[in-house]
C-alpha cells in the first residue's frame, strides 16, 4: 500500500509519518513540494521529497534516497518554475551534512 499527501493545513508530513508507522512502505512526494490538486479547493502542493526524507531519516527510518541529491533536485525545480517552493529544507537546509 502507498500514500499520497498534500501539505494542506501543514499536516502532510505528519500524515506520511503516521502512514509509515501503520506499515505503508511507499509514499509519493515531489521535489520542492511541487504539485497541487484541481479537485480539492485550497489544496497546497505535495509534500516535499527532501522534507520527507529528512523526517524519516531523523526518525531512524531507513530511506533509500540521498538527502543532498533531493535538495539539489528541489533547487533545480525552483529554477525551472521561477519561484520559491514550499520545501522547508530549501529554506533551512539540512542540519546534519551527511
Amino acid at each position: 500500500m502507498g500514500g499520497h499527501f498534500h501539505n494542506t493545513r501543514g499536516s502532510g508530513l505528519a500524515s506520511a509519518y503516521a502512514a509509515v508507522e501503520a506499515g505503508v512502505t511507499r509514499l509519493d512526494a515531489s521535489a520542492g513540494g511541487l504539485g497541487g490538486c484541481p479537485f480539492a479547493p485550497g489544496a497546497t502542493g505535495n509534500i516535499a521529497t527532501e522534507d520527507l526524507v529528512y523526517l524519516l531519516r531523523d526518525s531512524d527510518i531507513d530511506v533509500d534516497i540521498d538527502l543532498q541529491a533531493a535538495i539539489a533536485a528541489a533547487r533545480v525545480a525552483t529554477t525551472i518554475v521561477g519561484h520559491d517552493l514550499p520545501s522547508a529544507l530549501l529554506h533551512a537546509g539540512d542540519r546534519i551534512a551527511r
Side-chain angles (χ1 to χ4, degrees):
M1 183 175 288
H4 175 90
F5 304 99
H6 291 258
N7 206 29
T8 304
R9 297 176 196 86
S11 62
L13 288 174
S15 296
Y17 184 82
V20 169
E21 289 291 300
V24 171
T25 58
R26 296 195 182 263
L27 297 170
D28 289 338
S30 66
L34 281 170
C37 181
F39 308 109
T44 58
N46 299 302
I47 57 175
T49 301
E50 58 281 6
D51 291 349
L52 178 61
V53 170
Y54 180 88
L55 169 68
L56 297 176
R57 182 197 71 188
D58 277 18
S59 299
D60 292 324
I61 296 170
D62 287 332
V63 180
D64 192 24
I65 296 174
D66 180 298
L67 180 57
Q68 297 310 311
I71 293 170
R75 285 192 186 110
V76 169
T78 299
T79 301
I80 291 169
V81 299
H83 60 80
D84 287 338
L85 296 174
S87 164
L89 288 186
L90 279 180
H91 301 283
D94 181 13
R95 79 177 157 76
I96 302 171
R98 292 189 181 188

